[in-house]
Amino acid sequence: APFRRQHGSNLVIVGQQEETALGMLTTAIVSLVAQMAPAESARFYIVDGREANAPTTGPLARLPEVLPSMVRLAGWRDAPAIMAELTAEIERRQKDTGAAPALYLVLFGVQRLRDLRRQEDDFGFMRKGDGAPNPAQQFATLLREGSVLGVHTLMWCDTLNNLQRTLDRSSMKELTMKVVFQMNVTDSSNLIDSPLASKLGLHRALFFNEEDGRLDKFRPYGLPSESWLVDVQERWARRAEARESVALP
């Protein structure tokens, strides 16, 4: 899944296999960090929709320790504050043409993030006297304007119906990369223009990239083990030390 600075460069995972989605997003974050150049920096904002506050257990809870200073972990209660912060960052980047590091918003359990759910009478535009945009409108702006400025979104939602309750049709078009688990024929056709997800087993998924029309079947990794996370933490610490030693005069 190539995250390029172009419109629509965001990824959504859809399906009811929560543990598999959790493992996929956790390893995706580590993978993105591992590919960064030595002088490159990035920032990850993770919102775990299962809890009101930042989780204290599980692989997501370990990431701030594994990748210190790069990961901000929050629960659903902090979603509005993070949306406001990222919206301000997008506005700053629109005015400043200089290079800016990549930012990634990772949403685990979109179906539980009610603050990001669009109102039924919200057509995506502001009217005079409405005041500041709400978190749902900020989220739509983030999807529409963020990726070309290096602010990308990765998210998991359990069903297409719940995803559509959060995003309107215009915002759905900003998700050009999709991972789908087993689902019914109609949802599969709507998401990836193919009924093939209806034929998947429990341990298979499909990756669809609208940019090139590629549809790949794969077997997702399981949850990362504690020993694997410890190894990542040690490797990242050594890499950070090497980078600091090179930067010294």
Side-chain angles (χ1 to χ4, degrees):
F3 290 92
R4 302 187 178 96
R5 297 202 175 198
Q6 61 188 35
H7 288 292
S9 189
N10 304 296
L11 180 142
V12 63
I13 301 169
V14 183
Q16 296 182 322
Q17 298 181 31
E18 180 173 319
E19 183 175 288
T20 304
L22 176 60
M24 194 178 299
L25 286 176
T26 304
T27 52
I29 293 169
V30 174
S31 176
L32 288 167
V33 171
Q35 297 173 75
M36 293 191 314
E40 188 179 358
S41 61
R43 182 79 173 162
F44 295 84
Y45 294 77
I46 306 174
V47 180
D48 190 338
R50 298 172 299 176
E51 302 186 37
N53 299 310
T56 56
T57 59
L60 290 182
R62 288 281 286 115
L63 288 180
E65 304 171 39
V66 173
L67 303 169
S69 76
M70 299 187 68
V71 174
R72 175 178 172 183
L73 182 60
W76 57 258
R77 183 176 293 164
D78 295 316
I82 288 179
M83 288 301 147
E85 185 175 333
L86 290 177
T87 299
E89 175 62 19
I90 288 177
E91 292 174 353
R92 186 193 67 78
R93 294 188 180 200
Q94 288 173 330
K95 298 174 183 177
D96 184 2
T97 57
L103 294 179
Y104 297 91
L105 172 64
V106 181
L107 304 175
F108 185 71
V110 172
Q111 67 275 10
R112 302 186 182 102
L113 300 175
R114 296 192 176 186
D115 288 315
L116 305 187
R117 190 174 297 170
R118 65 185 175 92
Q119 301 298 316
E120 294 300 327
D121 58 349
D122 182 5
F123 296 98
F125 56 84
M126 297 291 293
R127 293 178 292 272
K128 186 176 180 180
D130 282 352
N134 60 43
Q137 292 167 331
Q138 291 174 330
F139 184 34
T141 299
L142 180 68
L143 289 173
R144 185 176 65 252
E145 306 291 344
S147 56
V148 74
L149 298 170
V151 182
H152 306 280
T153 299
L154 299 82
M155 68 178 90
W156 165 67
C157 191
D158 59 351
T159 66
L160 175 59
N161 181 58
N162 281 332
L163 185 63
Q164 291 173 332
R165 292 177 68 187
T166 299
L167 303 178
D168 59 19
R169 185 174 299 179
S170 176
S171 295
M172 289 287 293
K173 292 180 180 179
E174 300 300 329
L175 303 169
T176 62
M177 295 181 288
K178 301 180 179 72
V179 171
V180 296
F181 300 135
Q182 187 180 55
M183 59 183 58
N184 63 55
V185 172
T186 301
D187 287 354
S188 176
S189 298
N190 286 332
L191 276 167
I192 61 172
D193 297 327
S194 169
L196 288 178
S198 65
K199 302 178 181 179
L200 290 173
L202 290 177
H203 305 294
R204 293 293 187 274
L206 290 170
F207 170 69
F208 177 63
N209 189 347
E210 291 182 9
E211 184 179 351
D212 56 14
R214 191 173 80 246
L215 185 63
D216 294 325
K217 184 178 179 180
F218 68 99
R219 181 171 184 172
Y221 291 117
L223 282 176
S225 65
E226 176 60 24
S227 61
W228 186 82
L229 289 171
V230 169
D231 182 59
V232 170
Q233 185 173 2
E234 293 173 348
R235 288 170 180 262
W236 178 251
R238 291 196 297 268
R239 180 173 172 177
E241 290 174 1
R243 183 168 54 184
E244 289 177 1
S245 64
V246 170
L248 292 175

